Amino acid sequence: MAAPPSAPGMQPRSQPYPAGAQSFQQAPLGPAQLGSALGGMSLHQSQPPEALRAINLLQERNLLPQGPVTPPVPCLPQDLQRLNCSPEVFRCTLTNIPQTQSLLNKAKLPLGLLLHPFRDMSQLPVVTSSTIVRCRSCRTYINPFVTFLDQRRWKCNLCYRVNEVPEEFMYNPVSRSYGEPHKRPEVQNPTIEFIAPSEYMLRPPQPAVYLFVLDVSHNAVETGYLDTVCQSLLDSLSLLPGDTRTKIGFITFDSTVHFYNLQEGLSQPQMLVVSDIEDIFIPTPDSLLVNLSECKELVQDLLKGLPQMFTRTLETQCALGPALQAAFKLLSPTGGRVSVFQTQLPSVGVGALKSREDPNQRASAKDIPHLTPATDFYKKLALDCSGQQIAVDLFLLSGQYCDLASLACISKYSAGGVHYYPSYHHLHNPAQVEQLQRDLKRYISRKIGFESVMRVRCTKGLSIHTFHGNFFVRSTDLLSLPNINPDSGFAVQMSIEENLVDMQVVSFQAALLYTSSKGERRIRVHTLCLPVVNSMADIFAGADVQAITGLLASMAVDRSVTASLSDARDALVNAAIDSLRAYRSGGLSVQQPGLVAPACLRLLPLYVVALLKQKAFRTGTSTRLDERVFAMCQLKYQPLAYLMLMIHPALYRVDNLTDEGAISIADRTIPQPAILQLSVEKLSRDGSFLMDSGSVLYLWVGRNCAPNFITQVLGVPNYTAIPQTMTQLPELDTAESTRTRAFISWLREQRPFYPILHVIREESPLKASFMQHMVEDRTESALSYYEFLLHLQQQVNK
């Protein structure tokens, strides 16, 4: 019989069951056989690994890698690592899990998972099977890290129970062979999707239902947003995910709430006004949410006519609360998605709010009041929505204070999202109009899952205690997600409840059960396996600095809201001090002078400084309350890849792009300029620099930039001819233009949303926004990166 694929230090094992049974080859190593395999893989070889190379941060200034920071690879035998979940979907702050909680406490690093469970995937194995194989005890789905004791029995990698292999699982639909359960796709793929049988449904799968709720008060009409929203919907109606059952409806509101009868057979949409906002009711329940394919022409007529209907309105009041109550009543029988567009502080009816912002306090206060909601109306309504499988997405388009701290609750607890366009105006702010158009195109057409729940399980001994993101926690480990979209991320904090002494590895599994827009019940399962270690050095060697930063950011947002902003800032600084002190006392083999960090954590102090200067946490810089709250919302639910660009943008010099080191994608040559430190000393007046901060790109052009770049890329004769508001690069037939546009397109293609480009000159009004991202520099109220390192050194060496 063939021995299992061997790894360093592996001995071929004796046969797993009596000779005479059908010859059966053990699947790639299961956790039970890892002992000897990992025994030969301890990180203490004579040469310490690169991750543990000690770096004196005060001396080594150029710490940024040339390209993106890559997550550490778990130290597992190759056969297992090949089957591990992609870090883009599932990653842990520590890729080496400490054996005990006391060891974790000593290392002073946070333990948690970052998840992007519904991200768009180019390859996703889908299995249709009447039996979905799960552990009888803990309900874990069978996955690549279980152990087959023989053909008929498998051992769960989370609770170690031995389970029978069902007869149907003996047949492999891919190879069309019988008797090799370990070769089934469920055991060969860390991410897999099942089409679920009827026992995974509490009711028949709901249709895709979309309700648009639009502010039409004088203020709203003035911004001109209705034209953009209605036109975007007209252009993309056919892209709304769904099938022949898809339903759509519209509500508008000012001081009253207006419904639209779109029943088949009407010659035009019929507006119904409910002026009693104290006791909102649904005038004609059956004709307000209509089948999109049957009533498409009426829907198009309404979208064409809506922007004109309110042009002369004098209504300044805004009854958002009653409009949301109406949306809840309308969608309760089915569930679905509510998209709310709001332009001012709600002023009448339930949920009315008063301004709480004191402009004089924006910068000076060390502590920022009013980060918590002024009323529990929006949270309570969100929980009602969640119970009826309704999610609410909020689009806030406003130059005035709107109390986002209160309004955001409607999305936060119903698993919706918040989109914010400060000072949106169709004439004065064309860049935001373009941003809204691009965002809506993505929003309307992206994949969506309805009536979903997600559960995260982990190996016995580990426990989950806090979740971050937008959802309602239904039971200790079950998240209620009335909608799930591919752009939302989650984080969870964990602790080690029982010693993991006898374990070589632990596993984590996230299972997302949802209804697709086509009405199929599906389960997407992701499984991650990580080694267990028992030394401080090994814990540090597996630290994932970006995942740690993402989790710390979420924890700090919670701290700002439950305690205070200054508490949250202190906690971030202490996280850096404590981990470097722990490394100094427990992870360093030879004591050294200076501020010493292991190579894998060399960017932690830089990321902490960046967080302290981020809109969510900064002090001393004038920051509008809504903008601060919005930044906090983003830190909580953006997937890690986009979050990191928000925290620490990437800066490139682009006036001298060459093909040297370029990569080639689909016959395009993409230049790969080095990533520069975020400091003014890296800018020069004779250059041009591109900053990628996730949702915005800035192209800063120095006063003495080479005329060649200005004419060949920007398409203007000289520096003074660069327009004040330039958001597009012309398509010029020059090598410089082709390279620059290829590089910017490549950056944009790496994310699902579309970042707008702002070309800025030295005297541009947007220069301040660009400069605020220079996190290594000193500001009136914040230390430079170098000063921060000196502060850390003083604290660490105490």
Side-chain angles (χ1 to χ4, degrees):
M1 170 186 155
S6 62
M10 274 299 285
Q11 295 307 311
R13 291 171 57 247
S14 55
Q15 287 184 220
Y17 52 90
Q22 181 187 349
S23 171
F24 166 80
Q25 183 175 351
Q26 165 69 30
L29 305 180
Q33 298 86 49
L34 275 172
S36 44
L38 284 167
M41 298 186 70
S42 166
L43 300 174
H44 295 309
Q45 290 101 14
S46 53
Q47 195 61 39
E50 167 57 24
L52 285 179
R53 183 169 61 86
I55 292 178
N56 181 353
L57 298 178
L58 291 165
Q59 282 173 344
E60 285 199 42
R61 295 303 304 280
N62 297 328
L63 295 172
L64 287 175
Q66 290 284 297
V69 178
T70 50
V73 178
C75 189
L76 289 170
Q78 226 172 342
D79 293 328
L80 273 195
Q81 186 44 36
R82 186 176 54 82
L83 296 169
N84 226 344
C85 199
S86 155
E88 291 176 325
V89 173
F90 211 159
R91 62 202 263 194
C92 185
T93 54
L94 304 177
T95 43
N96 292 327
I97 302 294
Q99 217 171 50
T100 63
Q101 181 67 35
S102 66
L103 194 56
L104 174 63
N105 294 346
K106 251 193 213 153
K108 299 285 185 199
L109 292 168
L111 177 59
L113 302 167
L114 284 90
L115 276 148
H116 189 177
F118 201 57
R119 79 186 288 267
D120 292 319
M121 300 184 82
S122 50
Q123 287 175 309
L124 177 68
V126 179
V127 174
T128 312
S129 168
S130 56
T131 32
I132 294 178
V133 180
R134 299 177 67 177
C135 172
R136 280 187 310 174
S137 177
C138 71
R139 308 299 292 145
T140 292
Y141 293 81
I142 198 166
N143 62 75
F145 309 107
V146 306
T147 316
F148 282 91
L149 302 180
D150 53 43
Q151 257 183 324
R152 294 286 178 184
R153 296 179 307 150
W154 64 277
K155 189 179 194 178
C156 175
N157 52 323
L158 268 66
C159 73
Y160 307 118
R161 168 160 187 156
V162 175
N163 294 274
E164 306 289 313
V165 173
E167 181 60 38
E168 192 189 335
F169 203 76
M170 296 296 285
Y171 176 71
N172 184 352
V174 183
S175 62
R176 302 200 171 158
S177 58
Y178 184 83
E180 296 183 307
H182 61 282
K183 289 189 179 166
R184 290 256 318 190
E186 296 93 322
V187 193
Q188 291 296 324
N189 293 287
T191 288
I192 193 151
E193 186 146 286
F194 298 99
I195 295 181
S198 55
E199 63 257 36
Y200 288 85
M201 302 174 204
L202 293 171
R203 59 176 186 174
Q206 70 165 73
V209 182
Y210 303 104
L211 178 63
F212 294 88
V213 180
L214 305 155
D215 176 358
V216 291
S217 62
H218 177 74
N219 193 55
V221 173
E222 185 56 29
T223 65
Y225 91 88
L226 275 170
D227 296 281
T228 306
V229 171
C230 292
Q231 193 54 53
S232 295
L233 267 168
L234 276 169
D235 295 344
S236 305
L237 260 187
S238 57
L239 301 176
L240 264 177
D243 54 12
T244 52
R245 305 181 305 152
T246 301
K247 290 182 162 186
I248 193 167
F250 296 86
I251 289 176
T252 55
F253 64 96
D254 41 34
S255 63
T256 58
V257 179
H258 329 131
F259 298 88
Y260 296 85
N261 181 348
L262 299 164
Q263 203 165 12
E264 214 186 349
L266 287 175
S267 58
Q268 61 184 58
Q270 187 184 18
M271 179 174 171
L272 307 160
V273 178
V274 174
S275 50
D276 182 2
I277 57 171
E278 295 307 316
D279 183 19
I280 205 82
F281 67 96
I282 306 296
T284 54
D286 302 335
S287 55
L288 303 178
L289 270 181
V290 295
N291 182 298
L292 179 56
S293 51
E294 289 167 11
C295 306
K296 196 164 192 177
E297 283 176 11
L298 275 178
V299 170
Q300 287 168 326
D301 288 350
L302 177 63
L303 288 170
K304 285 173 192 158
L306 250 182
Q308 279 67 56
M309 284 167 61
F310 300 96
T311 42
R312 295 215 164 81
T313 184
L314 298 171
E315 280 280 6
T316 55
Q317 303 283 13
C318 160
L320 173 67
L324 287 171
Q325 285 180 324
F328 168 67
K329 288 185 172 170
L330 193 53
L331 253 56
S332 280
T334 52
R337 180 175 83 187
V338 179
S339 311
V340 186
F341 293 82
Q342 167 74 7
T343 68
Q344 59 174 313
L345 201 63
S347 54
V348 290
V350 285
L353 298 165
K354 297 214 169 17
S355 179
R356 301 190 286 165
E357 183 176 51
D358 175 359
N360 303 325
Q361 271 208 324
R362 275 185 199 161
S364 58
K366 184 160 186 244
D367 263 324
I368 307 291
H370 309 312
L371 294 173
T372 49
T375 165
D376 61 359
F377 168 77
Y378 294 98
K379 178 177 180 178
K380 278 186 170 158
L381 184 56
L383 297 181
D384 290 342
C385 285
S386 179
Q388 298 300 321
Q389 305 297 353
I390 302 164
V392 182
D393 291 323
L394 175 66
F395 290 79
L396 188 59
L397 312 107
S398 172
Q400 270 77 48
Y401 171 70
C402 285
D403 197 352
L404 190 55
S406 299
L407 297 185
C409 294
I410 191 71
S411 301
K412 205 183 284 181
Y413 296 100
S414 68
V418 177
H419 306 258
Y420 180 43
Y421 306 85
S423 58
Y424 181 91
H425 194 277
H426 67 121
L427 296 177
H428 310 318
N429 203 335
Q432 290 233 325
V433 176
E434 188 191 348
Q435 185 75 63
L436 179 63
Q437 286 166 334
R438 301 276 188 177
D439 288 355
L440 285 172
K441 188 174 181 185
R442 164 74 181 166
Y443 175 73
I444 292 165
S445 60
R446 72 186 178 189
K447 240 184 109 158
I448 183 171
F450 295 98
E451 46 185 353
S452 51
V453 288
M454 181 167 75
R455 184 168 256 133
V456 181
R457 295 179 170 89
C458 43
T459 296
K460 204 167 81 181
L462 291 165
S463 79
I464 287 166
H465 60 83
T466 310
F467 288 93
H468 300 277
N470 288 1
F471 48 76
F472 171 58
V473 183
R474 206 178 282 173
S475 62
T476 44
D477 61 348
L478 186 73
L479 303 187
S480 167
L481 304 164
N483 292 178
I484 180 75
N485 73 68
D487 303 336
S488 39
F490 301 88
V492 292
Q493 286 167 248
M494 291 186 300
S495 55
I496 302 167
E497 293 217 316
E498 296 166 30
N499 293 354
L500 309 172
V501 177
D502 302 329
M503 302 175 200
Q504 260 69 48
V505 294
V506 287
S507 299
F508 308 91
Q509 188 175 78
L512 179 75
L513 172 65
Y514 71 97
T515 298
S516 76
S517 55
K518 302 269 186 274
E520 282 180 322
R521 205 71 178 130
R522 288 178 166 232
I523 308 161
R524 191 174 293 190
V525 179
H526 306 285
T527 314
L528 173 70
C529 176
L530 295 175
V532 175
V533 298
N534 61 6
S535 79
M536 287 277 277
D538 287 352
I539 298 172
F540 280 105
D544 180 337
V545 71
Q546 292 202 329
I548 288 170
T549 306
L551 188 62
L552 286 175
S554 273
M555 290 160 66
V557 170
D558 282 4
R559 193 72 170 266
S560 309
V561 176
T562 55
S564 68
L565 191 71
S566 57
D567 269 22
R569 290 172 56 86
D570 290 348
L572 286 169
V573 176
N574 289 336
I577 293 169
D578 293 346
S579 56
L580 292 182
R581 190 184 284 153
Y583 169 70
R584 191 181 178 88
S585 58
L588 250 185
S589 41
V590 182
Q591 287 303 321
Q592 298 179 12
L595 180 64
V596 185
C600 58
L601 288 180
R602 67 187 186 283
L603 296 175
L604 185 62
L606 177 62
Y607 288 156
V608 167
V609 149
L611 272 174
L612 294 172
K613 296 181 181 182
Q614 219 271 338
K615 270 185 189 162
F617 303 119
R618 69 188 183 195
T619 54
T621 309
S622 183
T623 307
R624 294 162 72 163
L625 192 50
D626 283 345
E627 290 195 30
R628 185 184 295 280
V629 170
F630 177 59
M632 289 183 172
C633 292
Q634 285 184 298
L635 290 175
K636 288 276 280 189
Y637 78 87
Q638 283 272 15
L640 188 63
Y642 319 138
L643 192 64
M644 287 315 300
L645 282 171
M646 242 179 87
I647 295 169
H648 188 276
L651 181 68
Y652 308 91
R653 182 164 187 164
V654 291
D655 60 295
N656 52 5
L657 293 176
T658 66
D659 291 346
E660 196 184 324
I663 55 175
S664 182
I665 299 177
D667 299 335
R668 288 184 311 160
T669 304
I670 317 285
Q672 295 293 295
I675 292 180
L676 306 174
Q677 288 163 271
L678 294 172
S679 169
V680 175
E681 67 184 44
K682 293 292 172 192
L683 301 178
S684 68
R685 288 215 161 135
D686 54 6
S688 182
F689 296 81
L690 181 76
M691 181 188 284
D692 177 1
S693 69
S695 53
V696 185
L697 298 169
Y698 299 98
L699 180 61
W700 182 85
V701 185
R703 189 182 296 281
N704 307 330
C705 184
N708 198 26
F709 181 82
I710 292 173
T711 54
Q712 310 288 306
V713 176
L714 303 179
V716 294
N718 53 40
Y719 182 79
T720 48
I722 300 172
Q724 275 287 16
T725 52
M726 183 174 184
T727 58
Q728 308 275 353
L729 292 185
E731 290 194 27
L732 305 175
D733 194 12
T734 64
E736 293 86 344
S737 172
T738 307
R739 278 193 196 111
T740 311
R741 285 183 294 109
F743 180 57
I744 289 175
S745 302
W746 176 73
L747 288 176
R748 281 179 166 150
E749 283 156 17
Q750 292 171 30
R751 65 210 77 175
F753 47 84
Y754 183 94
I756 293 293
L757 172 74
H758 292 286
V759 178
I760 51 179
R761 309 192 316 213
E762 290 203 14
E763 58 282 1
S764 157
L766 276 170
K767 186 182 173 189
S769 312
F770 174 77
M771 288 302 177
Q772 273 171 357
H773 289 300
M774 293 293 177
V775 296
E776 296 205 16
D777 295 336
R778 186 180 189 155
T779 63
E780 290 164 34
S781 58
L783 300 177
S784 71
Y785 170 59
Y786 190 74
E787 289 168 326
F788 182 66
L789 292 180
L790 292 173
H791 172 68
L792 289 185
Q793 183 188 22
Q794 193 189 352
Q795 298 299 315
V796 168
N797 296 345
K798 259 187 183 172

